[in-house]
Amino acid sequence: MEFESLRPFDGFSQLLLGGLILGAVYYVITIARKYQARKNLVLQHGCKPPSRYPVWDPFLGLDVVYDALRAAKRNTFIEEKISHYNDYGNTHSSRLTTYPVISTIEPQNIKTVLSTNFKDFVIGSPRRRAFGPVIANSVLVADGVEWEHARAFLKPSFSRSQVGDLATFETHVKHLIDAIPTDGSTVDLAELFLRYTADVTTDFMFGESILSQPHPEAFGRELTDACRIGQLGAERRFRLGILANLVPQGEFYRSVNKVHSYMESHVDKAIQQRHSQSDEKKDANTNNGRYIFLNELVKMTDDRMILRDQLLGIFLAGRDTTSALLTNLFFVLARRPDVWKRLHRELDSLHGRKPSLEDIKGLRYLTFCLNETLRLYPIVQGTSRVATKDVILPTGGGNDGKSPVLATAGTLVIFHFAVLHKRKDLWGEDADEFRPERWQDEKASWVSKQSLTAIQVGSSS
């Protein structure tokens, strides 16, 4: 009787065992097919593996994480990356926690990831995990359908007619000039440019500027520091990878909460104003003819979190990137009187009148100077994408670094523009020098489309 009572359980055990065996067989067959498909890809395209950056921890790459954090703390991150590319080639592999990594500064590879095979790559969890606490709903960390919706949501607000409001810029440029001492004393232009871009960005976004230039206390040090700590903290989280949430980050989260509170106060005000308007006023322009970014977004949604994060993404991008570009440009101009004089001669063609948008676009030497500043001191020093399927990168494999490379699904592909822009084989032996005239070259123009343009694509997507 005892044996008979166990028979049903024996049948269930056999069924369970059979299911496990079938599952295991299916898994093995799937892996074998994937391996064979990759082998065929490698043979078909002549792929070869890139050189490998030595990783002592083959499972989580903790030594790579440690090296990156140490370099950031010492402020030698770019110098060490230049050394890595010199030692291991323009395309090499490594590991970052659970991700296989391919680092590259080859324009063809960057074009493949950000343009040709754009749909085969995503921002991925590394960047979303790192920047999510700051801008979880922003277009800057969105993928796929979410990215398309976010881009469509924001695109109307950046039409030429909206961003070409030079009268707004004129007001804040005047404040900037007034803030510069006329007695020959030393001035920190970096701080003034931060205030200038904060004033312009808040005016564009909220319809009212914080006027931090005439009133420096308006954009308090507390909020400035909160923005800086939030951004640096997000970069640190990226380098930590899956270990980010295991490290205490109290200061990071407190800073993020301060910045969020600042944005939310404006969002709540705009939503309340929108709801209090009559239907006629909602459809009409109630901003005295002015375009106000937040008011236009509120017409499309009243989701506080989406509005907050989209605004914050635009605020950080508009404020910090522009101020950094201006700071770096004037850092160079202070040391290059020849460039300063040539810029003066070009501006003399305006004969003292205020320039139109077309006038500004026609200032070719100014454009060369801005491009050269972005080349030597890129605002976005690097970016990354994760492959969603097996993709062939055109170059970087083999001993000579010229064979195609297979980037398997799940690979994190990282580009370092700060290193790419100093490649002497692309920019000439004077790659480390500031020479705006190089942008008259067709070669420089071609490289710009593969690097500087790639930065804009990478940042916006």
Side-chain angles (χ1 to χ4, degrees):
M1 295 293 293
E2 290 183 6
F3 293 106
E4 290 181 1
S5 65
L6 289 174
R7 285 177 184 171
F9 295 97
D10 289 343
F12 176 76
S13 298
Q14 292 174 2
L15 183 63
L16 180 61
L17 180 60
L20 289 174
I21 292 173
L22 287 175
V25 170
Y26 176 78
Y27 177 77
V28 170
I29 292 175
T30 301
I31 294 298
R33 286 179 175 175
K34 184 181 292 185
Y35 173 80
Q36 186 60 46
R38 286 176 176 172
K39 185 178 179 180
N40 292 340
L41 269 178
V42 169
L43 292 174
Q44 178 184 350
H45 295 276
C47 297
K48 294 181 180 180
S51 62
R52 184 162 183 80
Y53 176 82
V55 178
W56 300 110
D57 176 5
F59 302 105
L60 294 177
L62 294 180
D63 51 317
V64 176
V65 174
Y66 173 78
D67 290 344
L69 293 174
R70 182 184 61 182
K73 187 174 183 180
R74 293 178 176 178
N75 204 24
T76 59
F77 186 77
I78 297 303
E79 288 76 7
E80 293 195 19
K81 285 301 172 186
I82 291 175
S83 176
H84 292 169
Y85 282 106
N86 287 337
D87 293 341
Y88 305 106
N90 292 338
T91 300
H92 55 266
S93 65
S94 60
R95 191 166 193 84
L96 179 65
T97 60
T98 59
Y99 285 87
V101 174
I102 292 179
S103 298
T104 185
I105 52 171
E106 288 290 355
Q108 288 178 297
N109 291 344
I110 297 174
K111 180 182 178 181
T112 296
V113 176
L114 296 181
S115 179
T116 310
N117 290 71
F118 173 77
K119 292 186 177 181
D120 297 332
F121 291 86
V122 294
I123 295 291
S125 58
R127 274 176 61 184
R128 286 201 303 272
R129 184 189 302 113
F131 292 88
V134 185
I135 47 175
N137 300 294
S138 171
V139 66
L140 300 179
V141 292
D143 275 323
V145 175
E146 289 184 3
W147 177 81
E148 292 177 1
H149 287 169
R151 188 172 183 271
F153 180 64
L154 294 173
K155 187 176 181 180
S157 300
F158 289 96
S159 67
R160 181 175 175 182
S161 61
Q162 312 302 355
V163 300
D165 181 11
L166 297 185
T168 298
F169 288 97
E170 177 69 23
T171 298
H172 299 298
V173 167
K174 184 178 185 303
H175 290 160
L176 171 64
I177 294 173
D178 290 343
I180 299 175
T182 57
D183 58 1
S185 58
T186 301
V187 60
D188 183 2
L189 285 178
E191 178 65 25
L192 294 185
F193 287 142
L194 272 173
R195 294 183 196 168
Y196 163 72
T197 52
D199 287 356
V200 171
T201 305
T202 51
D203 205 347
F204 171 71
M205 288 170 52
F206 308 132
E208 54 183 31
S209 172
I210 56 175
L211 298 176
S212 64
Q213 295 182 99
H215 307 290
E217 71 284 353
F219 197 69
R221 177 62 59 184
E222 185 176 340
L223 185 58
T224 306
D225 289 344
C227 290
R228 178 180 56 82
I229 293 170
Q231 288 176 282
L232 292 177
E235 292 173 8
R236 183 168 180 259
R237 286 171 59 85
F238 180 82
R239 296 183 181 113
L240 285 168
I242 62 171
L243 305 176
N245 292 332
L246 302 179
V247 178
Q249 301 168 73
E251 186 181 28
F252 167 73
Y253 283 107
R254 285 192 295 272
S255 297
V256 169
N257 287 336
K258 288 176 184 176
V259 178
H260 282 178
S261 296
Y262 173 76
M263 289 293 162
E264 287 168 5
S265 65
H266 286 283
V267 168
D268 291 341
K269 179 180 177 181
I271 292 176
Q272 183 178 9
Q273 179 180 341
R274 174 72 175 169
H275 287 172
S276 65
Q277 291 175 344
S278 64
D279 292 339
E280 292 79 7
K281 287 186 176 181
K282 285 180 180 179
D283 295 330
N285 188 326
T286 58
N287 304 321
N288 297 320
R290 281 201 60 195
Y291 183 88
I292 299 176
F293 184 69
L294 176 55
N295 289 357
E296 296 303 312
L297 295 188
V298 169
K299 293 179 182 179
M300 294 181 278
T301 183
D302 58 1
D303 186 311
R304 294 176 73 248
M305 297 301 99
I306 291 178
L307 289 169
R308 182 198 70 188
D309 289 356
Q310 297 293 8
L311 282 173
L312 183 52
I314 300 301
F315 177 76
L316 295 177
R319 173 179 174 263
D320 289 359
T321 57
T322 307
S323 64
L325 171 59
L326 290 172
T327 299
N328 291 331
L329 174 60
F330 277 83
F331 174 83
V332 173
L333 292 178
R335 291 156 178 77
R336 291 290 301 274
D338 57 319
V339 176
W340 178 262
K341 289 178 181 178
R342 182 165 175 181
L343 271 177
H344 255 286
R345 287 199 299 271
E346 183 174 67
L347 293 174
D348 284 343
S349 64
L350 297 174
H351 304 295
R353 63 179 173 80
K354 295 178 182 179
S356 65
L357 190 59
E358 291 301 320
D359 288 331
I360 294 175
K361 289 177 63 177
L363 298 172
R364 295 185 71 239
Y365 192 68
L366 174 60
T367 302
F368 296 162
C369 287
L370 292 173
N371 283 343
E372 185 71 344
T373 303
L374 286 171
R375 183 188 70 84
L376 270 182
Y377 309 101
I379 308 304
V380 180
Q381 297 183 346
T383 189
S384 65
R385 291 291 186 276
V386 175
T388 59
K389 58 185 291 187
D390 295 346
V391 177
I392 304 298
L393 299 181
T395 188
N399 293 330
D400 59 1
K402 295 182 179 180
S403 298
V405 173
L406 175 63
T408 57
T411 297
L412 178 66
V413 183
I414 302 178
F415 333 112
H416 294 98
F417 300 116
V419 185
L420 167 64
H421 294 174
K422 293 187 178 181
R423 282 182 54 177
K424 293 185 178 180
D425 58 323
L426 294 178
W427 299 97
E429 289 302 313
D430 62 351
D432 293 328
E433 299 176 17
F434 186 88
R435 186 171 68 84
E437 291 77 14
R438 79 173 75 247
W439 290 92
Q440 297 174 122
D441 275 351
E442 290 184 6
K443 184 177 181 180
S445 298
W446 178 84
V447 174
S448 75
K449 292 177 182 177
Q450 312 304 316
S451 55
L452 298 183
T453 303
I455 286 178
Q456 298 169 0
V457 173
S459 300
S460 63
S461 62

